[in-house]
Amino acid sequence: MKKYNYFISALMVSALLLTSCGNQNGNGGSNSALASNNAEKVYVAPGEQDEFYAFMSGGYSGNITVYGLPSGRLFKEIPVFSQFPTSGYGYSEETKPMLNTSFGFVPWDDAHHPDISQTNGELDGRWIFINGNNTPRIARVSLSTFETEEIIELPNSAGNHSSSFITENTEYVVAGTRFSVPVPQRDMPINEYKGNFKGALSFISIAPDTGRLNLDFQMMMPGFNYDLSHPGRGKSHGWFFFTTYNTEEANSLMEVNSSQNDKDFIAAVNWKMIAEYVKNGGGTKMATEYAHNVYDEHTHSATSTMKKEVITVDPTKVPGAVFFLPTPKSPHGCDVDPSGQYIIGNGKLSADLTIHSFDKMIAAIEGKKFDGEAYGIPILKFEDVLAGTVKSGGLGPLHTEFDDKGNAYTTFFISSEVVKWKLGTWEVLDRQPTFYSVGHLMIPGGNSRKPFGKYVVAMNKITKDRYLPTGPEMEHSAQLYDISGDKMELIYDFPTHGEPHYAAGIPAELLAPKSKKIYRLDDNKHPFAVTSPDQAKVVREGKEVHVYMSTIRSHFTPDNIEGIKVGDKVYFHITNHEQDFDVPHGFAMIGQNTSELLIMPGQTKTSLWEPKKVGVWPFYCTDFCSALHQEMQGYVRVSPADSDVPLTYTLGE
């Protein structure tokens, strides 16, 4: 009951803070927390471009949103785990396989933590990775096309939350399970959780040239909750660190029963040692099933392969590879500073921040300074690995990012603030309120060896009175702080789509020059591509009809089709013949049970239409492409199922 009262008190404090912070000036007008000259800091004049890209997870949207900093302008939503009718992702025949899983077609997920590829610990801008939390998956998105190229499902996992973070040379993208589960899955009583459930930590290798993913091995850890993670870098490269909570292994009334222990753990995993163990034949092959979906830029098509086994590793079989670092209390964020020396445990039920030392950890391991074990994994003594404590005075620490001046920035959810403190001295240097209930924060490059310490973006969970009301629910709020000086300065608010849990930022100069403008038509290897209008045709194969169609400003070829029958399956294979940047064409057919298509220059996409009614039905371009856009249309004549109307197609007749 004492623990329960603690939670009630924390909630009351949170509510009071939200009430007192709202409309501090007593009105919703011109007075605000922003200084008048701050508008100049975020203003990007017409024709000019932003300094940074910010890639924000969409949370329950399942996608990634792309913003510019400092303007806060939304550039794009990249469909990843969710169907996206704007472009036809997940609806077109080419992209449906991207959403295949061992559970069948899953058209949604909960996307949390994007991470940009690195070389020598510095952002290189090749790919961005993100996790699907609900149906455990990892996706790789190309940062030249801004399209999802690969999704791999993770077996033996549930609540894929401590993901998707990469090692400093993009050797692995690593994913940990939030919910421990029976491995292999089986019918068993839930109350037999303790000692019987496992927490899988997945290590997915990344091919250096293509980015192709491969589930290399899974570590079967004790049945705790593995919440967040980050890789070692610099001197700690080769290690990975995971926060855990619910070391009590509770399975009910979790807000009380999983918060009894004064300390939980950060799991330190020597992935290089385990990878070598697996390479030399270690581990156990386990029968399972998981989907691996790959999109080919040349065929503009995805394929889905069902994998049948995975290598699992018992950490107790690899002595010296895994250790537990005691950390107060129910730690959430797990962050590593740019040098790789300090591992920060953000104990969400602690007012203080715990900082572990990598050097001290290695010394404690070598000196065998253990304080018992958990399921055969040594527990290091807390005092022997502790580098220091930040006495913050805040409530609910969650996440920490770093600038290029040796400073760290931590969010506090309950007290709604960002606190700046000094690495090494642990001195609090500044604190600024957020509006309201901040979760993650992001400094461009702040999760690398080379941060770009100009801005920090706070991603807030509650918007309340920051914008005009839009009914019971509002978009979440991001707040931009200038951190170039000694004190943080709030300079801008902007709404964010979905529920951003984390973000990754990169200088535009590293990314913009690599951005693909068109797909070359002569490189199009799609099996139904039409590379010149004279190749357009309509072919019947039983009840399937394939329309080989081209499109260019401002007509479709063909644009009149007859001989289609009720009950047919009509596949429109549409190739965009434009070879000019930013001239997509759309396609929509009346009565479509999928979505429209948006076809990029040089690309081929396919829409399935199953006519159910006799008549003459129009199709048209959905993307305004020219002064004659309205004329970009056509007709399909649909006859009864037993009709003998011949199949014909025309243009200009």
Side-chain angles (χ1 to χ4, degrees), residues 287-455:
T288 187
E289 189 175 56
Y290 62 98
H292 185 195
N293 310 326
V294 179
Y295 181 84
D296 187 319
E297 182 181 309
H298 300 288
T299 64
H300 306 290
S301 302
T303 56
S304 180
T305 305
M306 202 62 66
K307 302 286 188 175
K308 297 297 184 181
E309 67 178 20
V310 65
I311 295 175
T312 62
V313 176
D314 178 349
T316 64
K317 304 295 186 185
V318 194
V322 184
F323 300 89
F324 286 137
L325 284 60
T327 306
K329 176 178 186 189
S330 294
H332 182 56
C334 180
D335 302 290
V336 180
D337 84 299
S339 74
Q341 172 65 266
Y342 299 120
I343 304 108
I344 292 89
N346 302 277
K348 61 182 181 285
L349 301 183
S350 172
D352 301 328
L353 294 176
T354 300
I355 298 93
H356 297 300
S357 162
F358 179 74
D359 286 346
K360 286 189 172 184
M361 183 192 86
I362 295 300
I365 292 170
E366 291 173 349
K368 300 188 183 300
K369 296 180 178 179
F370 303 142
D371 191 15
E373 54 85 23
Y375 293 100
I377 297 172
I379 301 170
L380 299 174
K381 289 184 178 179
F382 178 69
E383 296 79 9
D384 289 328
V385 296
L386 182 67
T389 302
V390 177
K391 300 290 184 181
S392 65
L395 293 173
L398 292 184
H399 304 283
T400 301
E401 290 267 295
F402 309 92
D403 67 16
D404 55 348
K405 305 178 187 69
N407 302 310
Y409 301 75
T410 300
T411 56
F412 288 78
F413 178 80
I414 296 175
S415 52
S416 291
E417 60 183 335
V418 176
V419 173
K420 175 183 178 181
W421 50 277
K422 191 70 176 176
L423 288 162
T425 69
W426 326 126
E427 174 190 5
V428 172
L429 302 175
D430 190 23
R431 59 197 326 131
Q432 290 293 329
T434 62
F435 305 92
Y436 310 94
S437 297
V438 61
H440 279 272
L441 76 169
M442 182 274 285
I443 294 172
N447 176 29
S448 74
R449 274 182 159 189
K450 185 182 178 181
F452 301 89
K454 189 171 184 179
Y455 302 112

Side-chain angles (χ1 to χ4, degrees), residues 13 32 46 55 82 84 95 148 163 215 335-336 379 388 399 452 461-462 561 570 576 584 621:
V13 169
S32 71
F55 296 88
S82 294
F84 194 61
T95 56
T148 303
S163 322
L215 181 51
D335 302 290
V336 180
I379 301 170
H399 304 283
F452 301 89
K461 299 300 183 185
I462 297 175
I561 303 171
V570 183
N576 182 349
C621 176

Side-chain angles (χ1 to χ4, degrees), residues 150 358 433 540:
E150 192 169 6
F358 179 74
R540 176 177 288 280

